[in-house]
Amino acid sequence: YKLILAVVGLIGVLLIAAPGIAGLIHLPPGEQFSELYLLGPQHQASGYPFNVAIGENYTVYVGGGNQQSNPAYYALYVKFLNSADALPDTTAATPSPVEPLCEYRFVVENGQTYETPLTFQVSNAKVANNQSTIGSLNINGVSYKVNKPAVWNSTTSEFHYNLLLELWIFNSQSSTFQYNNRYVNLHLNYHRAR
């Protein structure tokens, strides 16, 4: 009888003291990460442009999410690659060595996302022999000179290009943007309009 009374008393004390104890115990935060995603023209993970022709506009939506426990300042680097250019190395957490054409900067509050349309157009291109060269690319109305050649791939029947989007995060200690090991890659095939 005394044992039962002691156990019930101990449980009561713990229940009363629990809010105070919880304030003293600091559990580690959950996993902190950033998100990067790419949606097709209908705001879905499908219908991405693949066969691109000169003078045509193509729109996709790119977004970033913040689960860092604090607001985060991001840079989105837009790069244009051919099959000879290296993609980012996720194992080594290194970005593609290709220079960005442009960048977009944005702040995202913790638990929130940022999304924006990205419209691109091949504005200058030529095909000679078994090689295409895209001379310039318009991104959101701004023209960028790229001069990227691609050799015809007879196995896949394409001139292989990539529109690469890399997510970088601002490091306040070094006052620089650092690659966040997040990227999305839009695989493209240039073809002449019929």
Side-chain angles (χ1 to χ4, degrees), residues 37-93:
Y37 62 88
L38 185 68
L39 299 175
Q42 302 302 318
H43 265 99
Q44 296 180 357
S46 63
Y48 298 105
F50 173 67
N51 290 314
V52 295
I54 196 166
E56 297 288 328
N57 283 327
Y58 304 94
T59 299
V60 293
Y61 295 88
V62 62
N66 174 13
Q67 304 297 331
Q68 298 284 335
S69 299
N70 292 303
Y73 184 27
Y74 294 104
L76 180 71
Y77 290 159
V78 180
K79 300 179 177 185
F80 190 65
L81 291 70
N82 62 19
S83 60
D85 294 321
L87 290 169
D89 183 337
T90 55
T91 303

Side-chain angles (χ1 to χ4, degrees), residues 66-150:
N66 174 13
Q67 304 297 331
Q68 298 284 335
S69 299
N70 292 303
Y73 184 27
Y74 294 104
L76 180 71
Y77 290 159
V78 180
K79 300 179 177 185
F80 190 65
L81 291 70
N82 62 19
S83 60
D85 294 321
L87 290 169
D89 183 337
T90 55
T91 303
T94 56
S96 169
V98 173
E99 287 295 314
L101 299 176
C102 59
E103 74 177 75
Y104 298 95
R105 294 184 178 188
F106 52 95
V107 174
V108 181
E109 294 295 324
N110 181 52
Q112 300 297 311
T113 59
Y114 169 86
E115 185 178 290
T116 188
L118 188 134
T119 300
F120 65 95
Q121 176 191 87
V122 175
S123 56
N124 178 323
K126 63 182 177 181
V127 175
N129 301 319
N130 283 333
Q131 180 174 299
S132 73
T133 301
I134 294 182
S136 58
L137 191 67
N138 290 342
I139 300 174
N140 289 342
V142 179
S143 183
Y144 299 94
K145 192 174 187 175
V146 292
N147 289 324
K148 279 284 180 187

